[in-house]
Amino acid sequence: MSTDSDLIHFFNGIPFTTRSSAELLKSLDAFQAREDDILLVSYPKSGTHWLAEIMKHLYTAKVTLTSPIEFGDVSKLEEMDNIGTKRIIPTHLGYDMLPGDFKAKKCKAIYIIRNPKDTAVSLFHYYKDNPNLPTIGMWSTYFDMFLQGQVVCGSWFDHILSWEEHRNEMGTLFLYYESMKKNPFKSVRKISSYLGINMNDNEIHEICKKTSFSEMKDNVEKEVSDPNHTVCSLTSNRRLIFRKGTVGEWKQYFSTKQNRLFDELYNTKMNASCLAKNIHYEN
Ligand code: A3P
């Protein structure tokens, strides 16, 4: 059985799984971006797979949806270089760790944000059911880890704030999970406009249908996925990803005290954030 230290290591003070080798993380700055690369950015469990699925349907020409840029070992750079089509590249990296060439080339980036309380609950389940992540025990223990940013990819707050601080450098498009659920049509339209893809209303409706939670969950059973080439890469068990897909589940987990602690930290950290105005934050 793997021990926690086999599964997690720290890089720049951030916990990464050992699926992201230290050598790869060190060499990321040598990564050669292309002007037409598109980044799908998220803190884990914010709806990355959903966004990725929408992207696949938006392009009619062949594109390659890669595994996250930070997953794998040093051979990743060469593997990415060998891709002969347009690349859609997911990442959970904070802005400061993003390879500089993406910034220099001003690549398009779409960042999906989910309210942090539901994100925390979703990540809790992911930890619990995923043998590639350390055992975390009870919700209360995990809750403290989440607040302190001691979970994979570090602090939710630092992640989002790092991307917000540099939002204009790459013209990042920010999307909100809850708004996408409420009005997927509007969100898909927004993405297609951002990417300069022309779509008529019927085509957009079709994409919304194909990427609904129920449709994607149903399709999970039919797919065989290779963990080295999926959006997540921490599991080949897609059932871990399409769990509930709801808004507000956190209410069944947070105690009154935990909720107060969370709100206090949120208010302190997000005080000056413009994005916070659009986040579906529930007290
Ligand atoms: P839950 O664990 O709350 O169910 P990610 O893709 O970033 O790992 O995020 C996974 C979360 O997004 C899971 O949340 C999953 O159910 C939800 N999700 C995946 N596809 C979705 C869809 N098409 N619509 C809504 N939520 C979706």
Side-chain angles (χ1 to χ4, degrees):
M1 203 181 133
S2 306
T3 64
D4 288 3
S5 56
D6 291 333
L7 298 171
I8 294 288
H9 66 111
F10 283 78
F11 191 88
N12 286 355
I14 296 170
F16 281 90
T17 74
T18 43
R19 299 295 305 277
S20 298
S21 82
E23 289 70 29
L24 173 64
L25 296 175
K26 263 185 235 150
S27 63
L28 277 180
D29 248 339
F31 181 80
Q32 302 269 303
R34 300 177 191 161
E35 259 136 37
D36 70 341
D37 283 339
I38 296 175
L39 289 165
L40 303 186
V41 190
S42 60
Y43 186 83
K45 314 320 289 172
S46 302
T48 327
H49 289 79
W50 184 14
L51 176 61
E53 192 65 20
I54 292 173
M55 297 291 291
K56 281 200 284 188
H57 289 287
L58 277 171
Y59 284 99
T60 43
K62 187 156 169 35
V63 291
T64 302
L65 174 64
T66 72
S67 61
I69 186 154
E70 66 274 21
F71 277 57
D73 57 30
V74 268
S75 64
K76 181 65 172 269
L77 266 54
E78 197 185 334
E79 190 190 306
M80 296 284 290
D81 239 5
N82 289 336
I83 295 174
T85 66
K86 181 181 180 68
R87 305 179 298 189
I88 298 177
I89 307 172
T91 183
H92 293 316
L93 290 173
Y95 190 86
D96 303 332
M97 274 193 71
L98 186 75
D101 208 27
F102 286 117
K103 304 172 188 173
K105 298 218 161 86
K106 296 198 181 305
C107 294
K108 288 204 157 87
I110 306 179
Y111 188 120
I112 181 162
I113 305 173
R114 186 180 193 184
N115 84 69
K117 292 180 181 176
D118 280 336
T119 304
V121 170
S122 181
L123 189 58
F124 173 62
H125 285 278
Y126 198 56
Y127 259 88
K128 263 192 10 179
D129 300 332
N130 192 335
N132 291 311
L133 287 169
T135 316
I136 38 146
M138 285 158 56
W139 161 255
S140 54
T141 316
Y142 163 84
F143 177 85
D144 293 340
M145 286 168 62
F146 186 90
L147 271 198
Q148 289 157 19
Q150 292 302 314
V151 290
V152 274
C153 301
S155 153
W156 179 90
F157 303 95
D158 295 347
H159 196 279
I160 192 165
L161 291 172
S162 76
W163 278 88
E164 174 166 12
E165 192 185 339
H166 300 279
R167 62 186 304 175
N168 296 326
E169 287 166 29
M170 290 164 67
T172 306
L173 172 70
F174 290 90
L175 296 173
Y176 302 87
Y177 178 97
E178 295 76 13
S179 311
M180 261 167 73
K181 271 202 81 96
K182 207 164 158 194
N183 193 341
F185 184 92
K186 198 169 157 194
S187 302
V188 175
R189 169 71 75 214
K190 204 181 254 177
I191 301 170
S192 68
S193 306
Y194 176 71
L195 298 174
I197 299 172
N198 270 329
M199 288 264 149
N200 64 36
D201 285 4
N202 282 346
E203 288 167 324
I204 296 207
H205 276 302
E206 200 50 36
I207 293 177
C208 295
K209 229 164 62 194
K210 286 187 182 143
T211 57
S212 71
F213 179 74
S214 55
E215 188 75 16
M216 285 183 70
K217 195 176 166 80
D218 282 353
N219 285 338
V220 160
E221 310 295 331
K222 300 172 209 153
E223 284 172 22
V224 184
S225 60
D226 169 355
N228 292 319
H229 295 95
T230 57
V231 174
C232 173
S233 301
L234 275 187
T235 178
S236 52
N237 181 357
R238 311 257 295 158
R239 265 174 243 142
L240 289 188
I241 290 151
F242 303 99
R243 201 179 54 86
K244 289 205 166 165
T246 53
V247 176
E249 193 191 4
W250 66 270
K251 289 174 194 149
Q252 294 160 37
Y253 287 80
F254 282 50
S255 68
T256 309
K257 185 178 168 205
Q258 286 170 340
N259 199 30
R260 182 174 47 75
L261 286 173
F262 204 105
D263 289 349
E264 278 168 12
L265 185 63
Y266 185 89
N267 291 335
T268 309
K269 288 270 202 181
M270 304 300 285
N271 186 27
S273 164
C274 292
L275 296 179
K277 295 184 184 72
N278 296 318
I279 294 175
H280 181 90
Y281 191 81
E282 297 171 317
N283 287 302

